[in-house]
Amino acid sequence: MTVTGILPTYQRFVNGVPVPFSRRSFRPREKYVVFLVFVTFGIVCFGTFFFLPEFRTGGTAESVYKVYDQIKRAGPDLLIPPPPLENIGEAPKLLRHEEDVKEDPHIIGDRAKLRAKIEQDGELKVLERPDVGKIKTSSTAKHSNLEESHAENFVNRIIIPAAQSNHYPLITGGDDDDIVARERRDKVREMMKHAWDNYVRYAWGKNELKPISKSGHSASIFGAMPLGATILDGLDTLYIMGMEEEFKQARDWVANELDVEQVVSDVSVFEVNIRFVGGMLACFALTGDTVFRDKAQQIADKLLPAFNTPTGIPSALVNFKSGTSKNYGWVNGGSSILSEFGTLHLEMTYLSDVTGKQIYRNKVDHIRKVLQDLDKPNGLYPNYLNPKTGKWGQHHMSIGALGDSFYEYLLKAWLQSNKEDNEARQMFDDSMAAIFQHMLKTSTNGLMYFAELKFDRPEHKMDHLACFSGGLLGLASKTLSNEQSNKYMKVAEEITRTCHESYDRTPTKLGPESFRFTEGSEARALKTSEKYYILRPEVIESYFYMYRLTKDNKYREWAWEAVQALEKHCRTPGGYTGLKNVYSEEPQQDDVQQSFFLAETLKYLYLIYSDDSLLSLDEWVFNTEAHPLPIKGVNPFYRESTH
Ligand code: DMJ
């Protein structure tokens, strides 16, 4: 074949000898073929226009312009896909193309939703962008006073539908202007990767990791079954940190491997709710992937038999298989525990809203009513309540173990409801007034702390668990201006300072499980049984809230001290471990990587070095396991069910 022009011609031979090419025009058959090619091309080109839906519904040039305009509004990457990840750079910059333009992550999320919708519909039709104009943007969210900003926060109710699993909105970003903060955040992300990769390598599907033994670990709270606690608890942290591959792997495990029907042993209602139901609901809110909502519902359904007590106050343990439930044998008089039955409200309320089933909300509303109707000794809530008689057990009060998150959920139920659940806020304020009066103390050397009460007798001891209260009181102060707000902020600052002291007064710079205040010893553990540190988050949690609320850089510095201490004493080649004695120069390690280290400790560290746009406190409320749940009425990711 020789090529002499646009069309190919063929060399001809006579008796094997090439005949010189001399013809200048096409034969009739060739002309016919050319004609047919042009006609077909013309039909395809013009026909396409007439099949566009906009043309079918009327209008011509105007409709074409409308489609163009809608594409333009939705953004160019609808049609021009973002660069592949391997071209973007190293892992921490996974979502660089979004971050560079400093866009509001919600707007970016809407774009992802539009992409998903286009694919679902299978044709290019009207591309209406949801009206998120009244949602705060990254820049307006910065340095906001939560109370002032609340008024601006009204937004039309938007329902963002479930997305396909490969079209998640991007709730990442949050790059701080400060380069030190950005570097520190990268470091925290690397810590998460180390914790996660080792869990995947040595304990995949088990509840937790033993980083030194390099095997799976399970605490009794999860029953005897491997339920993938670290996966369920850690998923949203992976998502928020932009660890897409890891998130996808974990999501697929939830979708394909997690089978709650297999669980034949007793599990803790409280722990399953805050870690698993909370974790799944946060992932549903963040991504819209219905796998997470459905798993949350399946798990919550398994908890429901625990509420079948004479008072409706749930028991502590439930057997997923048989539905039988009971309380811990060690609790005096068979009581249920305040911090356990009082820490269900956020998850159950939200679950009702996203499933359209009222049963979950009814259960926790009933608990609220029982509590409202009870007499409170000195306005305080004892840690124990008998679910059969409806009477308080021993009059022990604490804002640490056995009490803590009950108080947290009073404030946060009010926040989650967009400040409509005033009963919850009132209960919070009343309980804090009583706690301030009877349990708030100041040491000889001026450290403020919350003592515990045993029948009116104070025990001058504060748990690490109680250190969440600094952040909580800061949040209470900034979300409502009233006669208590100044006091709340003052106590928030002082309690957070005391908790920092409990870390600073150890050679490891990590704090003990409990610390005491006596003559000559303040903010230090005295008993051997109080000296351990199990990677708990509460002190860092308060640093996070206090930094967000006050912008005082000391909280970022204190958090960095904790990062360095974790790296020095808790990091091992196989993951992160707790310590048996924080007062030892060379502390022994306990060989457990708790799931809340990934869910909470690392998440709060990551967020403290992010700017306010990443999970704005105006739009999200963290459950007690640091799983972010959307605030109703102001957060378009609420995804309330329409039926
Ligand atoms: C977490 O599971 C939750 O924060 C809970 O409310 C109390 N303690 C642990 C972590 O310390």
Side-chain angles (χ1 to χ4, degrees), residues 133-136 149-157 418 633-634:
K134 289 175 189 140
I135 292 287
K136 222 175 290 306
S149 63
H150 176 63
E152 308 159 16
N153 242 346
F154 169 78
V155 68
N156 298 335
R157 255 311 166 67
N418 196 16
V634 299

Side-chain angles (χ1 to χ4, degrees), residues 270-271 274-275 404-405 465 536-538 596 600 624-625:
F270 160 76
E271 299 287 358
I274 64 167
R275 300 190 199 210
D404 52 5
S405 45
L465 288 168
R536 284 197 192 280
E538 291 79 14
F596 52 66
E600 297 189 78
T624 192
E625 190 77 1

Side-chain angles (χ1 to χ4, degrees), residues 451-577:
E452 298 184 355
L453 282 185
K454 299 208 163 132
F455 296 103
D456 294 340
R457 194 169 47 82
E459 186 176 12
H460 298 276
K461 173 195 130 202
M462 188 165 160
D463 290 337
H464 190 289
L465 288 168
C467 285
F468 83 99
S469 57
L472 187 76
L473 290 166
L475 197 57
S477 168
K478 287 285 187 173
T479 48
L480 186 66
S481 292
N482 63 11
E483 60 288 355
Q484 280 155 300
S485 29
N486 286 343
K487 174 83 174 163
Y488 281 161
M489 186 48 81
K490 179 78 190 140
V491 177
E493 286 169 351
E494 289 300 317
I495 289 290
T496 308
R497 180 168 80 91
T498 299
C499 290
H500 174 253
E501 286 299 316
S502 78
Y503 275 47
D504 205 40
R505 295 177 185 201
T506 73
T508 56
K509 302 297 171 196
L510 291 167
E513 178 68 1
S514 304
F515 43 92
R516 292 176 184 267
F517 297 83
T518 60
E519 282 304 316
S521 177
E522 297 189 353
R524 286 177 58 92
L526 293 182
K527 300 182 182 174
T528 308
S529 60
E530 297 168 344
K531 294 181 177 171
Y532 62 86
Y533 171 69
I534 55 169
L535 304 172
R536 284 197 192 280
E538 291 79 14
V539 176
I540 290 165
E541 176 181 347
S542 280
Y543 296 163
F544 159 70
Y545 280 107
M546 294 306 285
Y547 179 73
R548 277 264 171 118
L549 300 169
T550 67
K551 289 292 175 295
D552 185 336
N553 205 52
K554 79 172 175 238
Y555 298 112
R556 277 187 163 173
E557 292 305 316
W558 289 353
W560 189 243
E561 290 170 10
V563 167
Q564 289 172 304
L566 285 165
E567 288 299 272
K568 183 168 177 197
H569 298 290
C570 302
R571 187 174 178 128
T572 75
Y576 288 86
T577 170

